Amino acid sequence: MGKLFERRGRLRRVAAAAVGGALAAGIVIGMTARLLMSAITVAAAEESTFTVAGTAGIIMVFTVLAVPAAVTAGGPPVVRVAGRWVTAAVTGWAMATTGFADGAAVLLAPDSRMPLIVVIVVAFGTTVVAHGAFAQFVAGRLAGAPATAPLPGATATA
């Protein structure tokens, strides 16, 4: 009977860690993406506006998109890598389809602003890849991973 309660306790801790990791990634990466969206709009010589509802929606979407990575944070390495890349794929698809909605503004931007736009687009790509890694990092720490454990995807050297 004791092992059953121990398993349930571990399951609850892992589930809570996955929720916490997804929520943390949704907030941090979602806000980063929101700022990059504003930056690309300004770089394209358009007016940028923030709404509370839009920001909350972006945080919610990024939280949901972080679930595959957060849930796989405690798995073996191949499962963690798959979880990160599933998160990167769905986040990248969501960001790309949203970004193409404003594609005309970017294409019609002044030529002098194109280098800045390119930097922002690369920052979007970095954000997409960081989304899953951050969710797994937070979920792993919340689940009780040792403080000396390497970041997801890092290799240990002997």
Side-chain angles (χ1 to χ4, degrees):
M1 191 73 151
K3 289 211 182 243
L4 178 62
F5 288 124
E6 188 177 307
R7 278 191 185 153
R8 285 185 183 169
R10 169 87 175 130
L11 181 61
R12 283 188 191 119
R13 189 171 70 243
V14 169
V19 169
L23 185 60
I27 292 169
V28 172
I29 303 298
M31 288 303 297
T32 302
R34 183 70 162 160
L35 291 172
L36 289 171
M37 290 174 201
S38 180
I40 204 157
T41 302
V42 170
E46 300 284 325
E47 185 178 327
S48 176
T49 57
F50 278 95
T51 65
V52 174
T55 302
I58 288 170
I59 289 172
M60 183 181 69
V61 167
F62 274 81
T63 298
V64 171
L65 294 177
V67 168
V71 168
T72 59
V78 69
V79 172
R80 287 193 312 265
V81 169
R84 277 195 308 273
W85 285 108
V86 166
T87 295
V90 295
T91 302
W93 177 81
M95 289 179 81
T97 56
T98 303
F100 285 127
D102 296 331
V106 172
L107 291 175
L108 297 174
D111 288 340
S112 62
R113 297 200 176 199
M114 285 301 167
L116 178 58
I117 291 172
V118 168
V119 168
I120 296 168
V121 168
V122 170
F124 268 118
T126 304
T127 302
V128 165
V129 174
H131 191 203
F134 185 73
Q136 285 186 341
F137 176 77
V138 172
R141 292 301 177 260
L142 291 175
T148 59
L151 287 172
T155 57
T157 58

